[in-house]
Amino acid sequence: MDKFVIEDANLWYGSFQALKSISLNIPEREIVAFIGPSGCGKSTLLKSLNRMNDLVENVRIEGKFLLDGMNIYDKRADSNLLRRRVGMVFQKPNPFPMSVYDNIAYGPRTHGVRGKARLDDIVEKSLRDAGLWDEVSSRLKQSALGLSGGQQQRLCIARSLAVEPEVLLMDEPTSALDPISTGRIEELALSLKKCYTIVIVTHNMQQAARIADKTAFFLLGSMIEYGDTEKIFSNPSDRRTEDYITGRFG
């Protein structure tokens, strides 16, 4: 079962074409990694999946982005509802300057959840799902800015989970973290795919090999190859994929 189906997607920033005829299917409850050198289009494609590119001037998008069969760029599509269904975790942890509790409760409150008992449940469940509850349960009233970098990133994941998304987009979520924190985020991603579809952009090819079910390799705005991660890394079909994976360029 595919969660997202992308058909012949093209994207321009002004006159620059950042995505060229991209078509791929993202299966439900799997981890899909986008790899490739800087500027190849992988983050642009990721942000297209929850219309973050709407916030950028002079963007033009063609093609279909189907979420459960519905085109997210249809004029009747609600971008706020879309971003509730498709959460985003960024490269640098970006906790709000408020308490740990209020960071997690922020999204549910904006969607109309008011009762304290219900919010308490959401906060605890989201932090447990993000593997952070045991570390912060005694610090819920303290500022989230006092957490370590790795804890802040897991807090941002918990904040995304609090509105019960179906898809989690991760844009290089561990690039600012140390190896131990990186390992925790990877373990977390593997545990979360039981319930969520995860798409991760990563420069760390070992990370893609460790956690992704499928991997797509991008170069200069085109998708060169997409398939099962094991095959992409052990027996790629395209020479350019092999050159990138073996470190000949990038």
Side-chain angles (χ1 to χ4, degrees):
M1 182 76 182
D2 291 321
K3 192 66 179 173
F4 261 110
V5 176
I6 302 165
E7 296 177 359
D8 198 24
N10 294 277
L11 182 146
W12 291 263
Y13 294 120
S15 60
F16 172 70
Q17 188 170 3
L19 295 177
K20 302 167 185 171
S21 302
I22 307 288
S23 295
L24 80 157
N25 295 6
I26 295 172
E28 190 166 31
R29 295 187 185 179
E30 289 193 6
I31 299 175
V32 173
F34 294 170
I35 64 170
S38 296
C40 67
K42 54 192 187 297
S43 288
T44 295
L45 181 61
L46 188 80
K47 289 172 183 165
S48 301
L49 297 177
N50 72 344
R51 292 180 50 174
M52 291 291 282
N53 288 315
D54 287 11
L55 310 172
V56 182
E57 284 184 31
N58 297 324
V59 168
R60 182 162 62 90
I61 295 176
E62 292 176 355
K64 288 184 177 171
F65 290 80
L66 306 173
L67 175 60
D68 291 336
M70 295 285 295
N71 190 355
I72 64 173
Y73 285 93
D74 187 290
K75 288 185 170 53
R76 292 161 298 179
D78 180 339
S79 59
N80 288 326
L81 177 60
L82 172 69
R83 290 188 194 123
R84 182 177 179 177
R85 293 179 67 192
V86 183
M88 184 97 177
V89 177
F90 295 95
Q91 185 170 356
K92 289 202 170 71
N94 59 342
F96 301 142
M98 52 180 72
S99 71
V100 170
Y101 184 99
D102 287 338
N103 261 272
I104 309 300
Y106 183 90
R109 282 175 177 143
T110 62
H111 292 296
V113 178
R114 290 284 176 267
K116 184 175 185 314
R118 176 84 182 103
L119 285 170
D120 287 351
D121 287 346
I122 291 171
V123 169
E124 179 171 349
K125 181 180 187 307
S126 303
L127 288 168
R128 283 191 185 283
D129 286 350
L132 196 57
W133 175 254
D134 291 343
E135 293 167 53
V136 303
S137 58
S138 62
R139 304 165 61 180
L140 296 179
K141 298 273 192 298
Q142 295 176 25
S143 171
L145 302 180
L147 300 178
S148 71
Q151 289 173 326
Q152 286 186 13
Q153 192 64 301
R154 281 182 286 147
L155 178 79
C156 293
I157 293 170
R159 188 174 67 195
S160 292
L161 299 180
V163 295
E164 299 181 332
E166 298 156 43
V167 181
L168 201 54
L169 309 178
M170 297 180 159
D171 193 2
E172 295 191 47
T174 62
S175 64
L177 303 180
D178 63 82
I180 290 172
S181 298
T182 295
R184 285 195 175 141
I185 300 278
E186 290 178 6
E187 287 169 16
L188 175 56
L190 287 167
S191 69
L192 290 174
K193 79 170 182 177
K194 296 187 196 82
C195 303
Y196 306 92
T197 302
I198 297 174
V199 187
I200 181 168
V201 166
T202 180
H203 271 297
N204 182 336
M205 282 183 285
Q206 289 77 23
Q207 182 169 74
R210 282 192 296 264
I211 69 170
D213 298 288
K214 288 188 163 51
T215 296
F217 170 59
F218 294 86
L219 189 62
L220 300 172
S222 297
M223 187 177 74
I224 305 300
E225 192 168 348
Y226 177 54
D228 290 340
T229 297
E230 191 174 344
K231 181 184 182 307
I232 293 283
F233 280 91
S234 63
N235 187 24
S237 303
D238 193 289
R239 178 68 189 270
R240 292 166 294 180
T241 312
E242 186 179 343
D243 286 349
Y244 182 70
I245 285 168
T246 56
R248 289 197 188 97
F249 76 90

